[in-house]
Amino acid sequence: EEVGSAIREALQDKTLSRGDLFVTSKLWNTFHDPSDVESSLRGSLSMLGLDYLDLYLMHWPVAVSKGNNTQGGGVPSYSEKGVMSTWEAMEKLQKIGLIRSIGVSNFGISKLTPLLQKAKVKPSVNQIESHPYLPQWELVDFCRSNGVLITAYSPLGSPGRDKKEEREPYLLGEEKVIGASRSNNCTKAQALLAWGLMRGTAVIPKSVTVTRIQENLGALNVTLSREAWDALNMMENQHRYMPGTKHFPPGVTQ
C-alpha cells in the first residue's frame, strides 16, 4: 500500500508517467489454486493503484494450503495443486491484459524443465538468489539457453535483513570484494552488482536510502577488470542466505 501511495502521487503530479515504471509483483504460495490467481492479482493491482503489472512472478514452485501457512512447529501444510495449473491461470491473465509478462521465482532446473515443455507462454524471468557465494552457473546457463532472463535477488548478500544465521559469512567484507572495489575505483556494492551485470543477469539490490540507491545505479558504469572478475568467480565460501526450506515439504527441492 505504501508503494501504491507513492505511485499514485507520482502519476497524479505528473512526476512520472505509467510508461516510466516497470512494476513487478508475485503470486504467493497460498493462492496457487487457479480459482485464486486472478483475485490475488487484482488485490495487488488495487493496493498499487494500477490497471496492469509489467511482470507477475510465481513466488515459489510449491502451493501452500489456503488459509493455513503453517502447522505444528512452523511446518507448512501443502496442497496438491501443480505448478502447471497455476501457470495456465497466469497465462490467461496475461491474455486479457492484466499482466504484460509472466515469470517465476526460486525455480531450479528440475521445476523449470517440465514448465518449459508444457507452457504456452514461456517464463520471461526466473528470479533467484545469486551472488559470488551462490553463482548458480548451471541454472544461469540453463535459463540463458532457454531464453529465460535471470534476475538476481540478494546480489549484495542480503546484509540488511532482520533474521540472520549465527556466524554467516559477510559478502561485503570479503577480501576479494574489497580488492575488486579498490582496483576498479568503485564501491564494494558496485563491484558486486557489476559482477552480476557482466554475467548477463539483472540485479535487484534492496534499499530505501536515496544515497545507496544512487550508488547502486552507479554500477551501470563499472566494468570489472579480468583479474577482479576472476577473483569474484573463485570465492572459497559458498552460502545461500535465503534457503527457502520453510516453503518446501520434506524431500522437495527447487
Side-chain angles (χ1 to χ4, degrees):
E1 291 180 350
E2 290 179 351
V3 174
S5 177
I7 289 175
R8 281 189 289 272
E9 182 179 332
L11 294 179
Q12 288 169 2
D13 66 15
K14 308 300 182 181
T15 303
L16 296 170
S17 68
R18 178 63 181 90
D20 294 324
L21 302 174
F22 190 95
V23 183
T24 301
S25 189
K26 293 179 179 177
L27 177 71
W28 185 239
N29 305 353
T30 49
F31 300 102
H32 275 219
D33 190 293
S35 64
D36 294 325
V37 176
E38 182 171 348
S39 61
S40 178
L41 170 63
R42 289 189 181 276
S44 296
L45 289 172
S46 177
M47 287 188 287
L48 291 167
L50 298 174
D51 298 323
Y52 69 91
L53 290 177
D54 297 282
L55 177 63
Y56 199 43
L57 304 177
M58 194 185 308
H59 203 141
W60 291 92
V62 291
V64 176
S65 297
K66 187 163 51 176
N68 187 9
N69 276 315
T70 60
Q71 68 177 52
V75 178
S77 173
Y78 292 87
S79 75
E80 296 300 320
K81 295 294 179 182
V83 165
M84 198 60 227
S85 61
T86 306
W87 185 257
E88 288 171 349
M90 292 172 65
E91 289 178 331
K92 291 177 182 177
L93 297 179
Q94 183 188 29
K95 188 174 182 179
I96 64 175
L98 293 178
I99 313 166
R100 294 289 174 86
S101 297
I102 52 178
V104 296
S105 180
N106 301 300
F107 272 55
I109 293 174
S110 67
K111 296 294 187 294
L112 268 175
T113 299
L115 180 59
L116 288 167
Q117 291 171 344
K118 299 176 183 178
K120 293 179 181 176
V121 179
K122 183 169 59 178
S124 60
V125 168
N126 185 17
Q127 188 182 113
I128 61 169
E129 179 183 346
S130 189
H131 42 72
Y133 281 162
L134 188 70
Q136 303 210 67
W137 282 108
E138 184 179 4
L139 179 54
V140 170
D141 290 341
F142 176 85
C143 286
R144 182 179 292 118
S145 67
N146 283 281
V148 180
L149 174 69
I150 287 288
T151 296
Y153 68 76
S154 299
L156 307 180
S158 196
R161 74 189 194 284
D162 295 330
K163 296 181 180 180
K164 299 180 182 179
E165 296 177 18
E166 187 177 355
R167 297 180 182 177
E168 70 179 22
Y170 180 50
L171 182 57
L172 286 164
E174 279 281 348
E175 285 299 322
K176 290 178 179 178
V177 176
I178 295 170
S181 167
R182 289 173 178 167
S183 64
N184 289 273
N185 194 30
C186 63
T187 67
K188 293 178 289 184
Q190 288 172 342
L192 288 170
L193 296 175
W195 174 85
L197 292 170
M198 289 173 67
R199 303 171 79 211
T201 65
V203 291
I204 49 171
K206 183 187 296 185
S207 180
V208 296
T209 306
V210 172
T211 54
R212 287 182 177 171
I213 293 171
Q214 292 171 335
E215 174 190 335
N216 292 339
L217 287 170
L220 293 168
N221 301 315
V222 176
T223 300
L224 298 177
S225 65
R226 182 69 193 191
E227 292 77 14
W229 167 259
D230 289 340
L232 294 180
N233 283 330
M234 294 186 290
M235 287 286 198
E236 288 79 11
N237 278 325
Q238 293 293 298
H239 187 75
R240 185 187 293 270
Y241 290 99
M242 313 289 277
T245 50
K246 65 180 180 180
H247 301 304
F248 291 84
V252 175
T253 64
Q254 290 164 262

